[in-house]
């Protein structure tokens, strides 16, 4: 019997990195474990893909088709708003190429992988045949009281994001096209599933895009230490990622130090906050670091502090689990979905109450055991997730 044929849209797709580019790559590999896959992606991903492909086990089932807009149109990529507009224009070119591929291979499914944002929608359903949408996110949104004390720039960002969510939900025809045409919708978290129109939720499955590739579950024992225990924050230093909450929690509990990995516009503000709280000697700013170095650091830490206000499926949380590192998160969006019983989720009531709850979790000595984190990581491994994905495709009758 011939294998199922899939044409996948993956604007972001790059091996060896995190975030959406890494998700696009590992999802293409998972689909290729049981299907023949043609991936339509951006031309600037080509060099990284072609360097990794010869050593990729699924290489014989993967064909990449590279599409980009003309040079004159690429100025749109400047800034977040520009990237979104460029992405929408790129989909027009991707659709044309996907239709050309479809005429030759007659695919069983067309699949939209990345970008994983339900507000922006997809042109992929117009490539013909049955359509799978996602995983998509965009549903999580923090309670406004969690922004108490936030700088004006952060409040302006959240107001703009709330407006975009509303426009995407009610006024974006591409978003409505994706929901309506999909035979199956994969949502990054329960908030995104609830955010979709009610009539489409019955065909929606919560299935985060964070997957641990081979080698990212590391069961080596952590060395014992007599010094202070180490909490790790890893992510961009922007307000909504919650590094300020992690730092304030460290100030409330003795015997812990915080290592901050990441860069961004909030760094100077966080340094001033550490000085004001009197914990400069217990907070280390490491800046951005390569993924391999970050994972090494995770293997030496005792807890991940990731109190993000609206992440969909952060790979950082999955990678921490793979190192046996229990995550402490807010009970919002994707982090608690990924962590499951291996993490502690703090209610997002007010910033002060969230900080106190994080501090209590650190000082209670009741962090989930390392083995629980590793077991959860195994459930998020590429092999395990590929089996689940195949089962979903089989339920559609495509395999």
């Amino acid at each position: 019997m011939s294998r199922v044929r899939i044409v996948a849209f993956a604007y972001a797709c790059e091996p060896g990195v995190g975030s959406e580019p890494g998700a696009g790559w590992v999802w293409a590999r998972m689909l290729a474990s049981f299907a023949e896959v043609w991936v339509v992606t951006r031309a600037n991903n080509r060099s990284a893909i072609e360097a990794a492909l010869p050593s990729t086990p699924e290489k014989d089932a993967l064909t990449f088709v590279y599409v980009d807009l003309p040079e004159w149109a690429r100025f749109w990529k400047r800034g977040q708003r520009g990237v979104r507009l460029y992405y929408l224009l790129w989909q027009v070119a991707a659709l044309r190429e996907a239709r050309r591929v479809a005429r030759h291979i007659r695919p069983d499914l067309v699949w939209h992988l990345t970008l994983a944002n339900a507000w922006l929608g997809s042109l992929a359903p117009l490539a013909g045949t049955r359509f799978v949408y996602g995983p998509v996110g965009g549903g999580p949104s923090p309670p406004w009281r969690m922004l108490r004390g936030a700088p004006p720039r952060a409040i302006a960002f959240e107001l703009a994001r709330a407006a975009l969510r509303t426009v995407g939900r009610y006024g974006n025809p591409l978003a409505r096209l994706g929901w309506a045409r999909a035979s199956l919708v994969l949502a990054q978290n329960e908030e995104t599933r609830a955010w979709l129109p009610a009539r489409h939720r019955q065909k929606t499955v919560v299935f985060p895009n964070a997957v641990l590739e081979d080698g990212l579950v590391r069961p080596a024992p952590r060395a014992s230490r007599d010094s202070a225990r180490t909490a790790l924050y890893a992510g961009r230093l922007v307000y909504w990622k919650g590094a300020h909450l992690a730092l304030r929690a460290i100030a409330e509990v003795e015997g812990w130090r915080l290592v901050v990995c990441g860069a961004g516009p909030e760094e100077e503000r966080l340094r001033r906050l550490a000085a004001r709280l009197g914990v400069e000697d217990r907070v280390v700013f490491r800046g951005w670091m390569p993924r391999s170095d970050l994972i090494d650091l995770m293997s030496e830490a005792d807890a991940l502090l990731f109190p993000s206000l609206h992440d969909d499926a952060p790979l950082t949380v999955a990678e921490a689990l793979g190192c046996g590192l229990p995550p402490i998160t807010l009970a919002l969006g994707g982090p608690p979905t990924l962590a499951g019983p291996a993490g502690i989720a703090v209610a997002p009531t007010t910033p002060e109450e969230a900080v106190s709850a994080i501090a209590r979790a650190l000082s209670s000595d009741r962090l989930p055991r390392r083995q629980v984190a590793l077991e959860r990581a195994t459930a998020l491994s590429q092999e395990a997730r590929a089996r689940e994905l195949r089962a979903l495709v089989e339920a559609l009758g495509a395999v």
Side-chain angles (χ1 to χ4, degrees):
M1 181 182 296
S2 61
R3 300 215 304 173
V4 61
R5 295 184 169 194
I6 297 173
V7 174
F9 278 45
Y11 175 90
C13 181
E14 186 178 348
V17 298
S19 194
E20 286 217 55
W25 169 254
V26 73
W27 273 71
R29 288 188 59 193
M30 287 198 301
L31 292 178
S33 70
F34 60 84
E36 301 288 334
V37 185
W38 283 255
V39 183
V40 183
T41 188
R42 287 192 55 211
N44 72 335
N45 297 322
R46 184 170 197 150
S47 58
I49 289 171
E50 292 186 348
L53 206 52
S55 60
T56 301
E58 304 85 4
K59 62 181 182 295
D60 293 336
L62 282 167
T63 301
F64 288 89
V65 181
Y66 301 100
V67 177
D68 231 328
L69 298 180
E71 189 71 36
W72 60 263
R74 295 180 192 174
F75 74 95
W76 287 112
K77 289 187 289 184
R78 298 172 187 169
Q80 286 296 314
R81 294 178 185 175
V83 167
R84 292 188 183 104
L85 178 57
Y86 185 86
Y87 166 64
L88 294 175
L89 295 173
W90 176 86
Q91 286 199 62
V92 177
L95 174 62
R96 183 172 60 246
E97 196 64 22
R99 283 174 166 170
R100 183 190 66 78
V101 171
R103 284 196 297 271
H104 287 86
I105 69 166
R106 298 187 180 277
D108 303 285
L109 294 172
V110 174
W111 201 305
H112 183 110
L113 292 177
T114 62
L115 294 175
N117 189 314
W119 320 337
L120 297 178
S122 177
L123 285 174
L126 300 180
T129 197
R130 302 179 75 183
F131 175 58
V132 178
Y133 192 27
V136 290
S141 187
W144 287 105
R145 59 184 176 273
M146 283 297 295
L147 296 175
R148 192 165 69 196
R153 178 172 58 187
I155 294 173
F157 174 85
E158 295 300 335
L159 288 170
R161 182 177 182 272
L164 284 171
R165 278 165 43 89
T166 301
V167 171
R169 174 69 169 74
Y170 296 102
N172 182 359
L174 294 189
R176 303 178 79 83
L177 176 70
W179 309 331
R181 295 284 187 90
S183 299
L184 172 67
V185 179
L186 303 182
Q188 301 265 37
N189 43 68
E190 189 56 48
E191 287 95 328
T192 297
R193 183 179 182 276
W195 182 82
L196 295 171
R199 64 185 177 278
H200 300 307
R201 292 174 198 159
Q202 63 183 9
K203 61 182 178 184
T204 301
V205 176
V206 174
F207 200 116
N209 71 1
V211 175
L212 292 172
E213 286 187 90
D214 302 334
L216 288 182
V217 179
R218 304 172 52 153
R222 186 172 293 114
S224 59
R225 297 181 301 277
D226 296 326
S227 58
R229 303 180 78 185
T230 300
L232 179 69
Y233 167 87
R236 283 184 294 148
L237 301 185
V238 291
Y239 190 85
W240 64 266
K241 287 282 190 177
H244 61 289
L245 300 175
L247 201 156
R248 288 183 180 276
I250 288 297
E252 290 194 8
V253 62
E254 296 295 331
W256 282 84
R257 61 195 287 266
L258 177 66
V259 177
V260 178
C261 300
E266 284 285 296
E267 181 172 345
E268 285 306 313
R269 185 171 178 272
L270 291 167
R271 288 180 181 273
R272 290 195 300 270
L273 178 61
R276 190 163 68 248
L277 295 171
V279 292
E280 311 100 302
D281 59 333
R282 293 199 285 132
V283 179
V284 180
F285 289 86
R286 295 287 299 269
W288 180 90
M289 60 176 55
R291 187 185 187 194
S292 58
D293 292 348
L294 176 60
I295 290 173
D296 287 340
L297 197 57
M298 286 179 172
S299 298
E300 300 170 0
D302 299 285
L304 177 75
L305 299 188
F306 196 79
S308 173
L309 298 178
H310 48 69
D311 258 289
D312 278 303
L315 185 59
T316 295
V317 172
E319 289 171 337
L321 294 168
C323 296
L325 193 61
I328 301 176
T329 71
L330 298 183
L332 285 171
T337 301
L338 290 173
I344 295 176
V346 169
T349 47
T350 66
E352 295 79 12
E353 291 177 6
V355 164
S356 294
I358 293 169
R360 286 194 300 273
L362 290 172
S363 59
S364 69
D365 233 7
R366 281 188 265 176
L367 288 172
R369 291 182 300 107
R370 187 166 177 271
Q371 188 57 39
V372 177
L374 290 170
E375 288 170 1
R376 179 60 182 162
T378 300
L380 296 175
S381 69
Q382 181 177 334
E383 181 181 358
R385 299 301 266 171
R387 286 197 301 267
E388 295 177 44
L389 197 57
R390 182 184 178 115
L392 288 174
V393 174
E394 287 176 344
L396 287 176
V399 175

